[in-house]
C-alpha cells in the first residue's frame, strides 16, 4: 500500500451545503489549505475561513456561466498524480502543480430537478454536472493517494479519522472511492433514464429507451430458492416508505430468499385492505385471508381457511399486533410475522420463540395528501428477467370500485354478496394464475392457485374448503381471468357458490352468462384481468 501522507490540501465544491461549513472549519483548524469554487467559496469566506478560489489557483477564470472552472490540469493533475511514482511527482513539480489530497464534491441536483413534473428539457440539461463527476472520477481512480467525499453523511467519520491520524487510511479511502463510483454510476443512470424517455419537445414516453437498474445490496443471503443457489438481497436506491425493504427486524433468524419473497407477497396483499386484516402466505400464494373487528379475529378466520398450509407460513397484519392475536399465532409454527407495529405484550409472547422473525413495517393509514396507505411504497414498474433480456411493465396497482362492476345476469347480487365479491376479487389479485377464490363474510374459504387449467383450480379450491371443513354453500367466487368455458362455472356452482366475479372478455361470455342464468347465480364483470405469473 502507498505510504499514508498527511492531508495538506482539500478542494471543496458542493451543491448541497449540508454540514460543509463544519467540515471546512475542522479541516482549516488542522492547517489544511482549502480550495473552493463559486457559492461554496463565498460561504466559506463569509464565515471567516481562508479559502483560495479555484480560478486563482488555476490562473484561469470560470467561464461559460460556470460550465468550465475545474476542468484544468492544475486540478486533475493534483488529483490523479500517483504519489508513489517519482515521475508523477516530478511532473507536478515541473509544472508547478500541487497535490490535492482530499476532494469534497456533491453534484448538481439532477434527480431532484427532474422529479418535478414541470421540469423542462432545458432545465434538466442545465442540471447535468460535468466538472463534478470528472473530479470525483479522478480522485476515486487515485484512491491510494486521495480521499473523496461525495455525501454529507460521510463527513463526520472522515473528519474524526483525519483529526486522529492526520490522514485517511487505505481502507477508508478505498471504501470512499467505491461509494464515489457508485454515486457517479447512479447519477449517470438517472440522466440516461430521464433523457431516453424524452422527445425534444419535452413529451415523455412511459418507458425509457434504456433501462438502468439502480439497487443497493442490503445483505448476502445464506442461499437462494434452493441450497445450491447463491443469493443476495437488494433495495431500490431510494426505497419508498412502507415497502418491505424498509422493514425493521425486531427478532429472529436471518431472513432467507424464500422468506423475503413470501413476505413481500403477504405484505402487499394485507396492506390492500382498509379493515383490520390478516394474510397467511405459503409458497407465494395466500392460503388464508380475512378481515375482522380486531387482529385476533382476522387471524383465526384466515387460519381456518387452510390450517394445513398455514403451517410454516408467512403471516401479515395491517394493524399493530396485540397480545391477544400474538397468543393465537404463537400456537402454530410461523416463519415470519409482519405488522406495522408490535405492542409490548406481543413482543413478550414471542420473546421465547427466538427463531420467529418479526418484521415491523411502518405504515400510516392516510398520508398528508389524503391518499390511502395502499398506494404508497408500491412499485410503479415491475420487471421480469428472461434469457438475455427483461420484460418491463407498469405494476398491477389497479383497484376496482363497486361503481365499476357490471351485473350481466338476471339475478342481482345482494349487498352482502357485493361486499364479498369485492373482497374475493382483491384476494384473487395476489393468487398465482389460474386463480379461483371462494369467500364469504370477509374471509377466504377455498383457494385454487397456479393450475394450468382454470377448471382444475376451481376443483382444488373446493377440495381445500372441504378438507378444512368449510361449507361453500352460499359463497361467492372470484376468477382472476375470464371463464373460457362454462365447465369452470359449473364446478364452482356445484360446490355452492351463488355469485361470481370475473373480468369478462371471452368470446364465449354469452355462453357463460347463459350458464349462470341457467344455474340461478349472479355474475358481475370487472373489465379488469389480474394474471399473476
Amino acid at each position: 500500500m502507498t505510504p499514508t501522507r498527511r492531508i495538506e490540501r482539500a478542494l471543496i465544491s458542493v451543491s448541497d451545503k449540508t454540514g460543509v461549513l463544519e467540515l471546512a472549519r475542522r479541516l482549516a483548524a488542522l492547517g489544511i489549505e482549502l480550495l473552493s469554487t463559486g457559492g461554496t467559496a463565498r460561504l466559506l469566506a463569509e464565515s471567516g475561513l481562508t479559502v483560495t478560489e479555484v480560478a486563482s489557483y488555476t490562473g484561469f477564470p470560470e467561464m461559460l456561466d460556470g460550465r468550465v472552472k475545474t476542468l484544468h490540469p492544475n486540478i486533475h493533475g493534483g488529483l490523479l498524480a500517483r504519489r508513489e511514482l517519482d515521475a508523477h511527482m516530478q511532473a507536478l513539480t515541473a509544472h508547478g502543480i500541487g497535490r490535492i489530497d482530499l476532494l469534497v464534491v456533491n453534484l448538481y441536483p439532477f434527480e431532484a430537478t427532474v422529479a418535478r413534473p414541470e421540469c423542462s428539457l432545458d432545465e434538466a440539461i442545465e442540471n447535468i454536472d460535468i466538472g463534478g463527476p470528472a473530479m470525483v472520477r479522478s480522485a476515486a481512480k487515485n484512491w491510494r493517494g486521495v480521499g473523496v467525499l461525495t455525501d454529507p453523511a460521510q463527513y463526520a467519520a472522515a473528519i474524526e479519522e483525519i483529526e486522529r491520524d492526520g490522514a485517511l487510511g487505505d481502507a477508508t479511502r478505498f471504501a470512499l472511492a467505491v461509494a464515489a463510483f457508485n454515486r457517479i454510476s447512479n447519477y449517470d443512470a438517472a440522466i440516461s433514464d430521464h433523457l431516453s424517455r424524452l422527445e425534444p419537445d419535452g413529451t415523455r414516453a412511459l418507458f425509457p429507451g434504456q433501462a438502468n437498474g439502480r439497487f443497493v445490496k442490503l445483505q448476502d443471503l445464506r442461499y437462494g430458492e434452493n441450497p445450491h443457489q447463491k443469493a443476495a438481497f437488494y433495495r431500490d436506491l431510494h426505497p419508498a416508505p412502507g415497502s418491505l425493504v424498509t422493514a425493521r427486524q425486531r427478532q429472529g433468524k436471518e431472513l432467507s430468499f424464500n422468506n423475503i419473497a413470501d413476505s413481500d407477497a403477504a405484505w402487499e396483499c394485507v396492506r390492500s385492505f382498509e379493515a383490520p386484516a390478516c394474510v397467511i402466505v405459503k409458497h407465494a400464494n395466500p392460503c388464508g385471508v380475512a378481515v375482522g373487528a380486531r387482529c385476533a379475529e382476522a387471524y383465526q378466520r384466515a387460519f381456518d381457511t387452510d390450517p394445513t398450509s398455514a403451517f410454516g407460513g408467512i403471516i401479515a397484519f395491517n394493524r399493530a399486533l396485540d397480545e391477544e392475536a400474538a397468543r393465537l399465532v404463537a400456537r402454530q409454527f410461523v416463519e415470519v410475522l409482519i405488522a406495522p407495529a408490535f405492542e409490548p405484550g406481543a413482543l413478550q409472547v414471542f420473546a421465547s420463540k427466538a427463531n420467529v422473525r418479526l418484521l415491523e413495517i411502518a405504515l400510516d393509514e392516510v398520508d398528508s395528501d389524503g391518499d390511502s396507505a395502499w398506494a404508497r411504497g408500491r412499485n410503479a414498474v415491475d420487471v421480469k428477467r428472461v434469457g438475455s433480456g427483461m420484460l418491463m411493465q407498469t405494476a398491477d396497482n389497479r383497484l376496482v370500485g363497486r361503481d365499476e362492476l357490471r351485473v350481466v345476469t338476471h339475478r342481482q347480487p345482494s349487498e352482502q354478496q357485493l361486499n364479498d365479491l369485492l373482497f374475493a376479487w382483491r384476494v384473487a389479485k395476489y393468487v398465482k394464475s389460474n386463480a379461483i377464490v371462494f369467500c364469504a363474510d370477509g374471509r377466504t374459504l377455498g383457494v385454487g392457485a397456479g393450475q394450468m387449467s382454470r377448471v382444475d383450480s376451481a376443483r382444488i379450491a373446493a377440495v381445500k374448503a372441504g378438507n378444512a371443513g368449510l361449507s361453500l354453500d352460499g359463497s361467492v367466487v372470484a376468477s382472476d381471468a375470464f371463464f373460457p368455458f362454462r365447465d369452470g362455472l359449473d364446478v364452482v356452482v356445484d360446490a355452492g357458490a351463488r355469485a361470481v366475479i370475473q373480468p369478462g372478455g371471452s368470446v364465449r361470455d354469452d355462453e357463460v352468462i347463459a350458464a349462470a342464468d341457467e344455474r340461478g347465480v349472479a355474475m358481475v364483470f370487472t373489465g379488469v384481468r389480474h394474471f399473476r405469473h
Side-chain angles (χ1 to χ4, degrees), residues 395-408:
D396 185 7
N397 293 334
R398 177 75 155 81
L399 291 176
V400 172
R402 182 172 299 199
D403 59 343
E404 297 178 84
L405 300 181
R406 181 165 66 93
V407 180
V408 295

PDB file of all heavy atoms in Angstrom, residues 395-408:
ATOM      1  N   ALA A 395     -46.814  -1.602 -12.827  1.00  0.00           N
ATOM      2  CA  ALA A 395     -47.259  -2.553 -11.811  1.00  0.00           C
ATOM      3  C   ALA A 395     -48.782  -2.673 -11.810  1.00  0.00           C
ATOM      4  O   ALA A 395     -49.496  -1.737 -12.172  1.00  0.00           O
ATOM      5  CB  ALA A 395     -46.759  -2.125 -10.441  1.00  0.00           C
ATOM      6  N   ASP A 396     -49.259  -3.839 -11.393  1.00  0.00           N
ATOM      7  CA  ASP A 396     -50.702  -4.086 -11.334  1.00  0.00           C
ATOM      8  C   ASP A 396     -51.252  -3.498 -10.034  1.00  0.00           C
ATOM      9  O   ASP A 396     -51.520  -4.216  -9.073  1.00  0.00           O
ATOM     10  CB  ASP A 396     -50.982  -5.582 -11.417  1.00  0.00           C
ATOM     11  CG  ASP A 396     -52.476  -5.881 -11.493  1.00  0.00           C
ATOM     12  OD1 ASP A 396     -53.278  -4.920 -11.609  1.00  0.00           O
ATOM     13  OD2 ASP A 396     -52.853  -7.063 -11.436  1.00  0.00           O
ATOM     14  N   ASN A 397     -51.381  -2.179 -10.024  1.00  0.00           N
ATOM     15  CA  ASN A 397     -51.888  -1.480  -8.846  1.00  0.00           C
ATOM     16  C   ASN A 397     -53.344  -1.055  -9.018  1.00  0.00           C
ATOM     17  O   ASN A 397     -53.818  -0.155  -8.340  1.00  0.00           O
ATOM     18  CB  ASN A 397     -51.032  -0.241  -8.561  1.00  0.00           C
ATOM     19  CG  ASN A 397     -49.623  -0.617  -8.144  1.00  0.00           C
ATOM     20  OD1 ASN A 397     -49.384  -1.699  -7.611  1.00  0.00           O
ATOM     21  ND2 ASN A 397     -48.664   0.255  -8.409  1.00  0.00           N
ATOM     22  N   ARG A 398     -54.043  -1.706  -9.928  1.00  0.00           N
ATOM     23  CA  ARG A 398     -55.415  -1.311 -10.267  1.00  0.00           C
ATOM     24  C   ARG A 398     -56.403  -1.850  -9.244  1.00  0.00           C
ATOM     25  O   ARG A 398     -56.473  -3.047  -8.977  1.00  0.00           O
ATOM     26  CB  ARG A 398     -55.750  -1.853 -11.660  1.00  0.00           C
ATOM     27  CG  ARG A 398     -57.171  -1.592 -12.124  1.00  0.00           C
ATOM     28  CD  ARG A 398     -57.364  -0.137 -12.534  1.00  0.00           C
ATOM     29  NE  ARG A 398     -58.441   0.004 -13.487  1.00  0.00           N
ATOM     30  CZ  ARG A 398     -59.746   0.047 -13.163  1.00  0.00           C
ATOM     31  NH1 ARG A 398     -60.097  -0.038 -11.885  1.00  0.00           N
ATOM     32  NH2 ARG A 398     -60.656   0.180 -14.102  1.00  0.00           N
ATOM     33  N   LEU A 399     -57.159  -0.952  -8.631  1.00  0.00           N
ATOM     34  CA  LEU A 399     -58.268  -1.331  -7.766  1.00  0.00           C
ATOM     35  C   LEU A 399     -59.577  -1.178  -8.538  1.00  0.00           C
ATOM     36  O   LEU A 399     -59.714  -0.278  -9.363  1.00  0.00           O
ATOM     37  CB  LEU A 399     -58.304  -0.455  -6.516  1.00  0.00           C
ATOM     38  CG  LEU A 399     -57.176  -0.639  -5.508  1.00  0.00           C
ATOM     39  CD1 LEU A 399     -57.313   0.364  -4.377  1.00  0.00           C
ATOM     40  CD2 LEU A 399     -57.166  -2.062  -4.966  1.00  0.00           C
ATOM     41  N   VAL A 400     -60.506  -2.039  -8.261  1.00  0.00           N
ATOM     42  CA  VAL A 400     -61.823  -1.969  -8.892  1.00  0.00           C
ATOM     43  C   VAL A 400     -62.843  -1.520  -7.857  1.00  0.00           C
ATOM     44  O   VAL A 400     -62.955  -2.121  -6.784  1.00  0.00           O
ATOM     45  CB  VAL A 400     -62.226  -3.334  -9.482  1.00  0.00           C
ATOM     46  CG1 VAL A 400     -63.674  -3.302  -9.966  1.00  0.00           C
ATOM     47  CG2 VAL A 400     -61.297  -3.703 -10.637  1.00  0.00           C
ATOM     48  N   GLY A 401     -63.565  -0.461  -8.158  1.00  0.00           N
ATOM     49  CA  GLY A 401     -64.594   0.046  -7.259  1.00  0.00           C
ATOM     50  C   GLY A 401     -65.947  -0.555  -7.566  1.00  0.00           C
ATOM     51  O   GLY A 401     -66.181  -1.104  -8.652  1.00  0.00           O
ATOM     52  N   ARG A 402     -66.844  -0.434  -6.604  1.00  0.00           N
ATOM     53  CA  ARG A 402     -68.183  -1.012  -6.775  1.00  0.00           C
ATOM     54  C   ARG A 402     -68.898  -0.414  -7.975  1.00  0.00           C
ATOM     55  O   ARG A 402     -69.627  -1.123  -8.674  1.00  0.00           O
ATOM     56  CB  ARG A 402     -69.002  -0.790  -5.506  1.00  0.00           C
ATOM     57  CG  ARG A 402     -70.399  -1.394  -5.572  1.00  0.00           C
ATOM     58  CD  ARG A 402     -71.116  -1.337  -4.241  1.00  0.00           C
ATOM     59  NE  ARG A 402     -70.392  -2.082  -3.220  1.00  0.00           N
ATOM     60  CZ  ARG A 402     -70.945  -2.507  -2.087  1.00  0.00           C
ATOM     61  NH1 ARG A 402     -72.214  -2.262  -1.840  1.00  0.00           N
ATOM     62  NH2 ARG A 402     -70.231  -3.161  -1.207  1.00  0.00           N
ATOM     63  N   ASP A 403     -68.664   0.863  -8.223  1.00  0.00           N
ATOM     64  CA  ASP A 403     -69.363   1.506  -9.336  1.00  0.00           C
ATOM     65  C   ASP A 403     -68.871   1.026 -10.692  1.00  0.00           C
ATOM     66  O   ASP A 403     -69.483   1.316 -11.717  1.00  0.00           O
ATOM     67  CB  ASP A 403     -69.219   3.029  -9.237  1.00  0.00           C
ATOM     68  CG  ASP A 403     -67.766   3.489  -9.259  1.00  0.00           C
ATOM     69  OD1 ASP A 403     -66.875   2.646  -9.027  1.00  0.00           O
ATOM     70  OD2 ASP A 403     -67.531   4.679  -9.512  1.00  0.00           O
ATOM     71  N   GLU A 404     -67.775   0.261 -10.718  1.00  0.00           N
ATOM     72  CA  GLU A 404     -67.256  -0.262 -11.980  1.00  0.00           C
ATOM     73  C   GLU A 404     -67.805  -1.647 -12.305  1.00  0.00           C
ATOM     74  O   GLU A 404     -67.618  -2.142 -13.419  1.00  0.00           O
ATOM     75  CB  GLU A 404     -65.731  -0.329 -11.935  1.00  0.00           C
ATOM     76  CG  GLU A 404     -65.041   1.010 -11.783  1.00  0.00           C
ATOM     77  CD  GLU A 404     -63.533   0.857 -11.698  1.00  0.00           C
ATOM     78  OE1 GLU A 404     -62.905   0.773 -12.771  1.00  0.00           O
ATOM     79  OE2 GLU A 404     -63.004   0.793 -10.580  1.00  0.00           O
ATOM     80  N   LEU A 405     -68.439  -2.281 -11.347  1.00  0.00           N
ATOM     81  CA  LEU A 405     -68.937  -3.628 -11.575  1.00  0.00           C
ATOM     82  C   LEU A 405     -70.154  -3.595 -12.506  1.00  0.00           C
ATOM     83  O   LEU A 405     -71.025  -2.726 -12.395  1.00  0.00           O
ATOM     84  CB  LEU A 405     -69.331  -4.285 -10.254  1.00  0.00           C
ATOM     85  CG  LEU A 405     -68.223  -4.428  -9.211  1.00  0.00           C
ATOM     86  CD1 LEU A 405     -68.752  -5.116  -7.963  1.00  0.00           C
ATOM     87  CD2 LEU A 405     -67.028  -5.187  -9.784  1.00  0.00           C
ATOM     88  N   ARG A 406     -70.214  -4.580 -13.412  1.00  0.00           N
ATOM     89  CA  ARG A 406     -71.335  -4.670 -14.346  1.00  0.00           C
ATOM     90  C   ARG A 406     -72.025  -6.013 -14.148  1.00  0.00           C
ATOM     91  O   ARG A 406     -71.429  -7.065 -14.378  1.00  0.00           O
ATOM     92  CB  ARG A 406     -70.837  -4.530 -15.787  1.00  0.00           C
ATOM     93  CG  ARG A 406     -71.948  -4.588 -16.833  1.00  0.00           C
ATOM     94  CD  ARG A 406     -71.446  -4.094 -18.180  1.00  0.00           C
ATOM     95  NE  ARG A 406     -70.430  -4.947 -18.758  1.00  0.00           N
ATOM     96  CZ  ARG A 406     -70.690  -5.944 -19.628  1.00  0.00           C
ATOM     97  NH1 ARG A 406     -71.942  -6.190 -19.996  1.00  0.00           N
ATOM     98  NH2 ARG A 406     -69.692  -6.659 -20.131  1.00  0.00           N
ATOM     99  N   VAL A 407     -73.259  -5.962 -13.680  1.00  0.00           N
ATOM    100  CA  VAL A 407     -74.031  -7.185 -13.486  1.00  0.00           C
ATOM    101  C   VAL A 407     -74.510  -7.669 -14.853  1.00  0.00           C
ATOM    102  O   VAL A 407     -75.143  -6.923 -15.600  1.00  0.00           O
ATOM    103  CB  VAL A 407     -75.227  -6.955 -12.554  1.00  0.00           C
ATOM    104  CG1 VAL A 407     -76.015  -8.248 -12.375  1.00  0.00           C
ATOM    105  CG2 VAL A 407     -74.758  -6.425 -11.200  1.00  0.00           C
ATOM    106  N   VAL A 408     -74.204  -8.916 -15.189  1.00  0.00           N
ATOM    107  CA  VAL A 408     -74.516  -9.428 -16.532  1.00  0.00           C
ATOM    108  C   VAL A 408     -75.563 -10.530 -16.507  1.00  0.00           C
ATOM    109  O   VAL A 408     -75.921 -11.052 -17.562  1.00  0.00           O
ATOM    110  CB  VAL A 408     -73.237  -9.933 -17.220  1.00  0.00           C
ATOM    111  CG1 VAL A 408     -72.263  -8.782 -17.473  1.00  0.00           C
ATOM    112  CG2 VAL A 408     -72.562 -11.039 -16.411  1.00  0.00           C
TER     113      VAL A 408
END
